[in-house]
Amino acid sequence: MAETKPAEGRKTLRVTQIASAAGRFADQRQTLIGLGLNKIRRTRELEDTPAVRGMINKVRHLVRVK
């Protein structure tokens, strides 16, 4: 599976999962999956959009953003 690179000039966020999804509400677990996370220390480079920011805000206690 090929990874896609963001278009040049686009801002990206590096999101790393730092806490487990075990025992969390189902919507929080699904949000982590939507972000491409779901295991501790998994990192993804995501495009900086309002939708992604909203998803990060929902699970901000489980992730670290750089």
Side-chain angles (χ1 to χ4, degrees):
M1 200 171 195
E3 281 193 39
T4 58
K5 298 277 183 178
E8 287 189 34
R10 296 280 179 118
K11 292 189 178 189
T12 61
L13 301 169
R14 183 176 295 251
V15 183
T16 304
Q17 184 173 344
I18 59 168
S20 173
R24 307 296 177 175
F25 291 113
D27 60 335
Q28 291 178 352
R29 289 193 304 267
Q30 292 299 314
T31 300
L32 287 172
I33 292 168
L35 289 170
L37 305 171
N38 203 29
K39 291 190 178 185
I40 296 175
R41 291 187 300 275
R42 187 167 282 179
T43 301
R44 294 289 181 255
E45 290 256 345
L46 302 169
E47 197 171 324
D48 187 8
T49 64
V52 170
R53 288 224 176 220
M55 293 171 76
I56 291 170
N57 189 47
K58 189 170 193 172
V59 294
R60 65 186 176 273
H61 55 290
L62 303 174
V63 299
R64 177 175 293 132
V65 181
K66 292 184 181 179

